[in-house]
Amino acid sequence: MTTPESAGYDYDVVISGAGLAGSAAAILLARRGVRVALLERRSDPAAYKVLCTHSITANAYPVLDELGLVPALEEAGAVRNEARWYTRWGWIEPRAAPQGPELPYAYNVRRSTLDPLIRSRAAGTPGVDLLLGHRVTGLVREAGRTSGVRASTPQGEREIRARLVIGADGKDSAVAKFAGIPTRLYENARFGYLAHFRDLPLHGGIGQAWFLEPDMAYAFPNDDGVTVLAVLPDKKRLPAFREDLEGSFLALVRALPEAPPIDSAERITKIIGTVNYPLHSRKPTAPGVALIGDAALTSDPLWRVGCGWALQSAHWLAEAVGSAATGRGDLDRSLGTYARTHRRRLLGHQSLAADFAKARPFNPLERLMFSAAARDESAARHMHLFGSRLIGPLRFLNPVALAKASAVNIKYRRATVPPDPHPDPTTEP
């Protein structure tokens, strides 16, 4: 048990939520000398998030590496998340350039494997106290700022004082609610269901995603030979879909181009999902409070960015406030640094995701980039970097990339459209 210093605080930081974001933040802060209370409302140390894409995008690989989790994930059977994407123009299949470096990757891994793994690492980190069965019921406020939490525990109500309270408690964050941080919601015009299958072969043994405009689907191989298969149809299909959930789910999958052979595989879970999953954004800081992971921003699950952004936001926060959280700096200024980083790195991605969540067909820019990526390996690698969130919208849609995509499509049309045997002499060639 960490012995608190007698400075009016029980800890430097209290984190609500010992899932992926909270556990990562606890480890990274404790390594910087911060005394951390890591609160988890569930009492089971093996608890995990069920409704998830179970995939970590490549942008978070450096955080996994800093946490020391890469060898453990490989040993646990996590699958490097290569993928191919179906579009109306064909398959986008990113591959490394000849004699070039391998494509960046992270992992597909079930949360039943990932969450207990990172939580146990947090519990074993000097400076971290993992407090199971602790549910935040309110915030301690002094002089207009948060200075701790009130929590329901197996032993009764408890007050824990700290310089900083971190909400890592998901999209319905109690910390955000108690701090009065408003939520900006964006409608998601798709609903989603998923199930886990064993012994489900996929083309090339890698992940598959289907852009069906407006419906979506994906299949990602995970640890222990399990594949996560999800469908995200337009909400207009919801009434008919609900009449026969299992039949509708299986029929949609069977109709996919190069459909996975689900009838010969073993389904090992129920079909679970949600009919209403809006995107939301919150200001990630308030006096004495920081939000990370889904508590700060929840995006569209079809892009599988939640796990990666949970890890990244934990890292950005630890870098920004590591010193100030121990009393050796200006905490408000440090929180401002974190808020600016969070906004700069994620706002553009979230804006595009919110627009695409309207379940509309591809817009002209998307048609340009996706069609080129289906026809050209360099364009496919560019798409892979964006899909992995290693580049932002401005780099993805920069003038050079747009010009290259246009050139790819012009060349393709010239190669595939036969010449007109009776050209109109009044029309320019």
Side-chain angles (χ1 to χ4, degrees):
M1 185 78 173
T2 302
T3 303
E5 299 171 0
S6 56
Y9 295 107
D10 302 306
Y11 293 89
D12 296 318
V13 170
V14 173
I15 301 175
S16 175
L20 186 56
S23 295
I27 295 169
L28 296 170
L29 286 166
R31 289 179 180 175
R32 290 163 169 82
V34 178
R35 298 171 297 118
V36 180
L38 179 59
L39 278 55
E40 171 55 48
R41 61 180 177 81
R42 297 167 294 188
S43 298
D44 181 4
Y48 60 93
K49 184 176 181 179
V50 175
L51 193 59
C52 180
T53 59
H54 304 275
S55 186
I56 306 170
T57 39
N59 56 301
Y61 185 95
V63 186
L64 292 172
D65 191 37
E66 182 174 340
L67 291 167
L69 287 174
V70 171
L73 287 171
E74 296 266 5
E75 185 177 348
V79 179
R80 298 185 182 190
N81 49 13
E82 301 171 85
R84 58 200 292 262
W85 311 328
Y86 176 81
T87 73
R88 62 170 114 152
W89 303 278
W91 287 92
I92 298 173
E93 302 187 82
R95 298 185 181 91
Q99 288 80 50
E102 64 180 342
L103 293 177
Y105 64 87
Y107 296 96
N108 298 331
V109 57
R110 291 175 297 168
R111 296 296 291 267
S112 57
T113 299
L114 177 62
D115 288 11
L117 173 62
I118 192 170
R119 188 178 297 122
S120 66
R121 291 294 180 96
T125 301
V128 177
D129 286 338
L130 174 62
L131 305 176
L132 298 173
H134 281 54
R135 179 174 60 87
V136 171
T137 57
L139 301 180
V140 179
R141 305 272 298 175
E142 291 181 349
R145 65 183 301 112
T146 297
S147 57
V149 302
R150 290 188 295 276
S152 172
T153 82
Q155 291 74 40
E157 291 293 321
R158 178 182 179 187
E159 184 175 290
I160 306 174
R161 292 174 53 79
R163 291 185 178 88
L164 177 64
V165 174
I166 298 175
D169 47 352
K171 65 182 180 66
D172 299 317
S173 171
V175 170
K177 176 184 175 182
F178 293 134
I181 300 174
T183 302
R184 182 175 182 181
L185 293 176
Y186 307 85
E187 180 188 2
N188 193 334
R190 297 182 183 87
F191 63 98
Y193 284 96
L194 63 82
H196 294 69
F197 292 80
R198 193 181 301 280
D199 299 324
L200 179 65
L202 299 174
H203 182 95
I206 62 175
Q208 323 278 309
W210 290 266
F211 288 81
L212 303 174
E213 298 182 72
D215 298 341
M216 296 286 304
Y218 60 75
F220 295 141
N222 273 242
D223 53 300
D224 198 28
V226 173
T227 294
V228 177
L229 184 57
V231 299
L232 298 104
D234 188 329
K235 276 186 178 176
K236 294 175 182 176
R237 300 184 57 175
L238 182 57
F241 208 93
R242 272 177 156 172
E243 288 181 3
D244 178 11
L245 174 59
E246 181 168 346
S248 299
F249 180 94
L250 297 177
L252 196 159
V253 173
R254 292 183 186 121
L256 294 172
E258 297 186 19
I262 52 174
D263 294 311
S264 60
E266 176 191 7
R267 178 155 61 88
I268 61 174
T269 67
K270 295 179 180 179
I271 298 172
I272 61 171
T274 179
V275 298
N276 188 31
Y277 199 92
L279 291 70
H280 78 239
S281 299
R282 296 186 178 103
K283 187 175 183 294
T285 60
V289 173
L291 304 178
I292 57 177
D294 281 351
L297 183 152
T298 301
S299 195
D300 193 331
L302 74 84
W303 301 112
R304 62 186 179 92
V305 293
C307 290
W309 286 350
L311 291 166
Q312 280 194 303
S313 59
H315 185 264
W316 297 332
L317 180 63
E319 283 197 323
V321 307
S323 178
T326 64
R328 301 191 306 270
D330 187 325
L331 182 57
D332 288 339
R333 180 177 296 177
S334 298
L335 288 173
T337 298
Y338 166 64
R340 288 190 295 273
T341 300
H342 193 278
R343 178 181 176 85
R344 175 173 55 84
R345 296 292 296 272
L346 300 186
L347 179 62
H349 288 292
Q350 181 73 333
S351 296
L352 290 184
D355 185 56
F356 197 70
K358 296 173 183 176
R360 54 163 178 74
F362 283 138
N363 64 33
L365 281 180
E366 290 161 348
R367 291 198 298 270
L368 173 65
M369 300 303 286
F370 276 74
S371 59
R375 297 162 176 164
D376 178 79
E377 291 188 358
S378 177
R381 285 191 289 274
H382 187 66
M383 179 73 72
H384 172 79
L385 292 178
F386 179 68
S388 300
R389 308 302 154 173
L390 289 162
I391 60 174
L394 292 179
R395 283 187 61 190
F396 176 55
L397 298 173
N398 73 75
V400 173
L402 295 175
K404 287 183 177 179
S406 298
V408 166
N409 289 334
I410 291 170
K411 181 179 179 181
Y412 174 82
R413 285 194 293 269
R414 287 175 174 171
T416 56
V417 177
D420 188 346
H422 305 290
D424 183 347
T426 65
T427 302
E428 292 186 9

